[in-house]
Every structure is written in structure tokens, then in C-alpha cells.
Amino acid sequence: MNRNYSPPYRLGTEQKVAVATSSAAISSAWGADTYIIRVATTTDCHITIAASPTATTNHHLMPAGTIDYFFVNPSLKLAAIRVSTDGTLTVTEVSK
């Protein structure tokens, strides 16, 4: 499998969040018509998705340098917390 493959999606609104020792969420929920998001991170972190998310170390692990796509429900947010090093996480709304 080619790990560099990206599905043919249109990139939309992008939000960044600083990933540190406390849970941090993107500032705005993604759009009412958003069902797919692209997530990229510069550091190992745990992520969760909810209306008012708070990430903990029990949530899904996303390794540094990872870019992944998630099917989501509209109007939610993503939060992240670092494993050991601060970094940046980017959430981009995408559409077909």
C-alpha cells in the first residue's frame, strides 16, 4: 500500500491547535455540511471528536507525522493532548 496516497478531496477550512500537556480543541466546530476531515500532527498525541471534546491519554493515538482522514458528523470539534512533546495539529474540512 502506498502510504503517500491521498484521496481526491477538495480542501476547505483549516484550523490549527497547539498540542501540549492540557487538552486543547479547535476553536470552531466544522461546518454543517462536513462529513470528512483531514488531520495532520507534528507530535505524538491523543485525539477525540465530540461537541465539546476533552482529550485524554485514553483516547486514540495519532503518531507524529501522520496525516489521516476521518468520517465525522457535522458541527463537531476535535481536541488533542500530547504524549511527550508539544506540537501542532491541523484539522482541514474536506469534500468530494
Side-chain angles (χ1 to χ4, degrees):
M1 179 162 106
N2 181 353
R3 298 287 299 161
N4 295 320
Y5 172 75
S6 294
Y9 293 129
R10 296 176 201 265
L11 299 178
T13 302
E14 177 182 287
Q15 296 184 63
K16 293 185 179 188
V17 64
V19 181
T21 57
S22 297
S23 177
I26 57 175
S27 59
S28 300
W30 46 78
D33 293 327
T34 298
Y35 292 91
I36 304 169
I37 58 170
R38 177 184 182 266
V39 181
T41 181
T42 63
T43 189
D44 294 341
C45 61
H46 295 273
I47 64 168
T48 190
I49 296 170
S52 297
T54 301
T56 71
T57 55
N58 293 321
H59 287 115
H60 304 289
L61 175 65
M62 192 157 181
T66 300
I67 298 173
D68 211 344
Y69 292 80
F70 297 90
F71 289 104
V72 295
N73 290 322
S75 305
L76 297 177
K77 291 180 164 184
L78 183 144
I81 189 169
R82 75 175 198 190
V83 171
S84 61
T85 305
D86 290 355
T88 303
L89 183 133
T90 304
V91 177
T92 306
E93 297 177 40
V94 295
S95 60
K96 292 184 178 182

